Amino acid sequence: MKAVAVQAFGGPEGLAVVDLPDPSPAGGQVLITTEAIGVGGVDVLIRSGALAAYGFEAGHVLGGEIAGTVTAVGDGVDPAWTGQRVWAFAGTGGGYAEQAVVPAATLVALPPDVSPVDAVTLGSSGTVARFALRHARFAPGESVLVRGAAGGIGIVAVQLAARGGAGVIAVTTSSAERGDRLRELGATHVVGRDGGGAGDYDVILDVVAGPDLPAFFGRLNPNGRLVAVGAVAGDPPADFGTALFAAFRKSLSFATFSADTVPAADRRAAVAELLAGDVRAVVHEVLPLEQAAAAHRKLDAGEVFGRIVLTTPEFSGARGTAGA
Ligand SMILES: NC(=O)c1ccc[n+]([C@@H]2O[C@H](COP(=O)([O-])OP(=O)(O)OC[C@H]3O[C@@H](n4cnc5c(N)ncnc54)[C@H](OP(=O)(O)O)[C@@H]3O)[C@@H](O)[C@H]2O)c1
C-alpha cells in the first residue's frame, strides 16, 4: 500500500510517499481501507520535530483521523463492523495511508449522507471544541472569545458557541477575509491576533498559547475561565504562573484540556452527534494522499481556513439520498 512517512523531521520536504506492507489488525483493532484523511495541526508539529520528546522516529506515518471502510477485524472485535463505512481515530499516526489499523473503540458509523471528507473535517476538531467548551462551563448568555478561530477547532467552537446561546462570540484572526467567514459561522466580533479593542470575556477558548497568553488571561471577566487546548504559537512565557496567581482577585480559572482524557464512549457519542448535526464542515482543500507535502506547505504558510483533507483512490464521496 501507499503511505506518506516522515523520512526527515523538519520541513514538508521530509515527507515521502512510500510503499509499505498492508498492516493487519491486532486484538481490539480493525483494518480500514481509507478514503479520507484529516491533516491536523498535530501532524505538522510531529513532522517539524517539535514533538521529538515523544519519541517519533524516521519512517513515522502521520495521520490521526480517517474515514473509510472496515475490511478486517482483530480478535475480540464485533465482526459486524466488516464492510461498514466509518470515522475512526488512529491516535498519533498511521492515517496517511491507503490502509490503516485503528482501535475498534474509536469507530463511529458514517451516516450514509455524510461525506468522508466532511467526517474527518468535523470529527476530531469538533470533539475538542465541544468538550473544551464544556470544560470551560460555558453557559448561555456568556461572552466567549475563540483565540485562533480560523483552525479546525476554532471553526467548530464558534458554531457551537452560537448554537449554545453565547451573548458575544469574539474571534481572533490575522485576516479580514477570514473574519468575514467567521462572522458567517456565528462570530459577532472580529479582533486581531493581539485581541486589541474593547471587550472582556467570560470564557476564552485558546488554541494559540505563546507569549500573549498572560495578556489574554487578563481579559477575563470576574469568575472567567480560559481553557487552553493548543499551542500553535508555542509555550506561554515562563512567568505565566505569576499572572495566574495575580488573578485571584477576580476568581479567574485557567485550565488545559486534551481530548485524550475523554472516555471513548463519550468521544464516539460526540462524533456521532456532530456528524448527524448541522455544524458546518469547512474544508479548505481536498488533495490526493500523495500530495501530503503540499498540504503541509500550505499549513506552514498559514493559508488554510478550515481543514485540508487527503483522499485515496477509494474515495467516493457520500452515499445517501443525495448520493452517488
Ligand atoms: N487539546 C486537544 O485535545 C487537541 C487535539 C488536537 C489538536 N490540538 C492542538 O490544537 C492546535 C491546532 O488547532 P487547530 O488545527 O484548530 O489550529 P491551527 O489551524 O493550527 O491554528 C489556528 C489559527 O491560529 C492562528 N495562528 C497561527 N499562528 C499564530 C500565532 N503565532 N499567533 C496567533 N495566532 C496564530 C491562525 O489563524 P489566523 O492567521 O487567522 O490568526 C490559525 O488558523 C495544535 O496546538 C494541536 O496540538 C489539541
Side-chain angles (χ1 to χ4, degrees):
M1 67 161 186
K2 292 235 174 327
V4 174
V6 188
Q7 301 294 53
F9 292 96
E13 67 284 356
L15 293 177
V17 179
V18 293
D19 276 309
L20 295 176
D22 288 356
S24 53
Q29 294 181 329
V30 301
L31 178 66
I32 291 179
T33 297
T34 52
E35 292 186 46
I37 304 140
V39 180
V42 74
D43 303 344
V44 172
L45 292 173
I46 295 170
R47 183 219 77 215
S48 70
L51 301 185
Y54 292 90
F56 296 105
E57 293 179 356
H60 178 73
V61 174
L62 295 170
E65 186 173 12
I66 63 173
T69 301
V70 176
T71 51
V73 301
D75 286 347
V77 179
D78 183 351
W81 280 114
T82 309
Q84 287 211 45
R85 280 178 117 203
V86 295
W87 174 93
F89 192 62
T92 52
Y96 286 19
E98 291 174 339
Q99 315 268 339
V101 287
V102 300
T106 71
L107 297 181
V108 175
L110 209 56
D113 58 344
V114 173
S115 151
V117 167
D118 286 356
V120 299
T121 299
L122 277 180
S124 183
S125 302
T127 307
V128 177
R130 157 150 313 190
F131 287 104
L133 283 172
R134 196 169 291 176
H135 206 58
R137 290 175 280 112
F138 160 66
E142 289 195 314
S143 55
V144 178
L145 171 71
V146 181
R147 187 172 175 229
I153 295 169
I155 283 171
V156 178
V158 166
Q159 296 182 71
L160 292 178
R163 281 157 182 71
V168 164
I169 305 170
V171 292
T172 69
T173 176
S174 61
S175 138
E177 190 248 331
R178 290 177 182 185
D180 289 343
R181 297 188 65 184
L182 288 161
R183 276 198 175 90
E184 284 169 24
L185 296 171
T188 57
H189 295 69
V190 176
V191 299
R193 282 185 174 186
D194 65 358
D200 289 318
Y201 307 98
D202 300 314
V203 167
I204 299 178
L205 195 153
D206 191 313
V207 305
V208 179
D212 295 335
L213 189 63
F216 278 91
F217 188 64
R219 300 287 296 273
L220 287 171
N221 288 324
N223 297 303
R225 294 87 65 199
L226 185 152
V227 174
V229 298
V232 296
D235 291 339
D239 62 356
F240 181 48
T242 308
L244 289 178
F245 187 70
F248 81 93
R249 285 190 181 79
K250 285 165 75 184
S251 301
L252 304 186
S253 301
F254 171 80
T256 57
F257 171 77
S258 166
D260 292 347
T261 61
V262 177
D266 294 354
R267 200 169 168 140
R268 287 195 303 270
V271 174
E273 203 176 305
L274 280 160
L275 297 187
D278 63 353
V279 169
R280 218 187 304 168
V282 177
V283 180
H284 181 82
E285 193 173 1
V286 178
L287 293 169
L289 172 62
E290 290 81 354
Q291 290 186 32
H296 277 236
R297 271 192 288 278
K298 288 168 192 272
L299 279 160
D300 282 3
E303 62 186 56
V304 176
F305 182 84
R307 215 36 158 172
I308 297 193
V309 176
L310 304 173
T311 53
T312 70
E314 285 295 317
F315 172 60
S316 58
R319 294 178 197 156
T321 44

